[in-house]
């Protein structure tokens, strides 16, 4: 059997339908965001030329987190939709507790996306930003960070052991890969062989690595 | 590690979600256990053994 002949069968399964739906939603979100950014740039409200590669990377990650967070948040308000979309193999509606758990996951992703996008958006709007505006945005980020930490901790305690294992393994793998990669880069930078990385570059790389490794570990453990 | 969870569940005509409710874990966790993608913690293994009224070693077998 070829991959092509398996393809339609996959999309006939509940999981396949969800993948197709999410792919379509991703396309719509990506296209709409691209159009909006293009219009804002044309109107002079945003300037992407001054942004570095890590700003673009974190901006894309933020967009993905915001879109995912909003989608999960909206779906979580319907127990029927939660059951079908967030656990496609389950043949029943989500319980009240499950829907509220999904809602919390949506909030965590949304807050992470907002925090990650705020400095990039501010720089794209005004570079360098005035002190008062930068301080106000920073205060907002700290407030969101504290709120997200609280929601994240609550999620940890509400999760079962498989989710906790996936989170722990993702953290461990991300740490070991990044500590090696960043050490090697830092050594090269110290020896004037490599260009300097900013803290924002490192954070953007860490977020990208964490999300990628999280997807791989989740798939390997059967959470995908 | 191999296990007889799927067989034991089928004997009782329980869905994965039914078993998950009884074990207070998610359906995905039951699926991961059945497909061998995840080995349970000792407390969860004891809980499974108590639920099916069998010893841990009759449910879980080391593949080595």
């Amino acid at each position: 059997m070829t991959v092509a002949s398996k393809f339609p069968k996959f999309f006939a399964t509940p999981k396949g339908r969800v993948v197709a739906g999410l792919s379509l939603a991703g396309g719509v979100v990506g296209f709409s965001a691209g159009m909006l950014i293009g219009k804002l740039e044309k109107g002079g409200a945003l300037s992407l030329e001054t942004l570095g590669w890590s700003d673009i990377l974190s901006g894309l990650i933020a967009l993905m987190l915001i879109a995912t967070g909003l989608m999960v948040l909206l779906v979580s308000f319907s127990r029927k939709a939660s059951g079908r979309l967030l656990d496609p193999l389950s043949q029943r509606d989500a319980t009240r507790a499950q829907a509220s758990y999904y809602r919390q996951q949506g909030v965590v992703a949304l807050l992470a996306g907002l925090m990650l996008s705020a400095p990039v958006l501010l720089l794209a709007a005004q570079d360098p930003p005035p002190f008062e505006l930068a301080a106000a945005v920073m205060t907002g980020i700290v407030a969101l960070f504290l709120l997200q930490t609280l929601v994240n901790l609550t999620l940890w305690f509400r999760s079962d052991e498989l989710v906790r294992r996936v989170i722990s393994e993702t953290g461990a793998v991300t740490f070991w890969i990044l500590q090696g990669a960043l050490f090697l880069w830092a050594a090269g930078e110290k020896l004037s062989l490599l260009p300097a990385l900013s803290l924002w570059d490192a954070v953007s790389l860490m977020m990208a690595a964490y999300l990628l490794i999280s997807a791989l570990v989740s798939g390997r453990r059967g959470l995908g | 590690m191999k296990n007889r969870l799927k067989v034991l569940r089928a004997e009782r005509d329980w869905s994965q979600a039914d078993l998950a409710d009884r074990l207070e874990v998610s359906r995905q966790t039951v699926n991961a256990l059945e497909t061998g993608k995840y080995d349970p913690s000792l407390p969860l293994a004891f809980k499974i053994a108590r639920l099916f009224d069998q010893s841990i070693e009759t449910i879980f077998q080391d593949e080595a």
Side-chain angles (χ1 to χ4, degrees):
Chain A
M1 186 178 271
T2 63
V3 174
S5 62
K6 280 181 181 173
F7 214 57
K9 279 187 182 172
F10 172 71
F11 284 107
T13 63
K15 199 172 181 176
R17 280 197 292 270
V18 170
V19 169
L22 291 180
S23 305
L24 187 68
V28 171
V29 169
F31 181 75
S32 311
M35 288 284 285
L36 181 68
I37 290 169
K39 280 191 175 171
L40 287 172
E41 200 180 11
K42 219 173 177 179
L46 284 182
S47 168
L48 301 184
E49 281 174 13
T50 52
L51 299 181
W53 64 266
S54 55
D55 297 322
I56 304 291
L57 177 63
S58 52
L60 286 173
I61 294 171
L63 179 65
M64 191 186 74
L65 287 170
I66 290 171
T68 309
L70 278 176
M71 192 274 289
V72 173
L73 201 57
L74 285 175
V75 165
S76 72
F77 284 103
S78 157
R79 284 163 58 184
K80 188 174 180 181
S82 298
R84 303 294 181 277
L85 277 170
L86 303 178
D87 183 9
L89 296 180
S90 169
Q91 283 146 1
R92 62 187 194 188
D93 296 353
T95 62
R96 200 179 293 272
Q98 282 169 333
S100 123
Y101 179 76
Y102 294 142
R103 202 166 303 138
Q104 265 188 302
Q105 285 184 324
V107 169
V108 165
L110 183 62
L111 291 179
L114 290 175
M115 280 189 286
L116 201 57
S117 67
V120 179
L121 281 176
L122 181 59
L123 276 184
Q126 214 167 350
D127 189 17
F131 174 79
E132 292 78 11
L133 189 56
V137 170
M138 189 63 208
T139 307
I141 291 174
V142 171
L144 289 182
F145 180 79
L146 290 175
L147 178 63
Q148 202 226 18
T149 303
L150 188 70
V151 181
N152 242 334
L153 277 174
T154 319
L155 257 186
W156 171 270
F157 288 114
R158 290 185 72 188
S159 297
D160 72 354
E161 62 176 60
L162 175 61
V163 174
R164 290 184 190 180
R165 174 76 73 90
V166 167
I167 294 171
S168 304
E169 284 181 355
T170 301
V173 173
T174 307
F175 171 76
W176 284 108
I177 290 177
L178 283 183
Q179 62 89 23
L182 288 177
F183 163 71
L184 290 174
W185 192 278
E189 190 183 314
K190 203 81 175 155
L191 296 169
S192 305
L193 296 171
L194 291 169
L197 280 185
S198 69
L199 271 178
W200 189 256
D201 294 339
V203 163
S204 303
L205 277 176
M206 187 188 68
M207 278 304 290
Y210 184 85
L211 290 174
L212 190 65
I213 291 165
S214 170
L216 292 174
V217 172
S218 297
R220 188 170 165 268
R221 287 289 179 205
L223 264 185
Chain B
M1 190 178 283
K2 287 195 293 187
N3 67 70
R4 297 177 53 241
L5 265 187
K6 197 171 181 176
V7 175
L8 292 168
R9 178 172 65 79
E11 282 171 0
R12 286 152 184 82
D13 204 19
W14 290 344
S15 67
Q16 285 187 341
D18 293 333
L19 178 56
D21 288 346
R22 286 172 166 86
L23 294 173
E24 294 173 309
V25 296
S26 66
R27 189 206 58 79
Q28 289 96 329
T29 300
V30 170
N31 188 54
L33 289 168
E34 287 184 358
T35 51
K37 288 181 174 172
Y38 173 65
D39 293 331
S41 66
L42 263 182
L44 182 56
F46 273 108
K47 206 169 183 177
I48 292 167
R50 272 197 302 271
L51 179 67
F52 290 115
D53 199 22
Q54 298 196 12
S55 63
I56 289 178
E57 55 269 36
T58 57
I59 301 175
F60 296 95
Q61 292 93 37
D62 191 0
E63 280 175 305

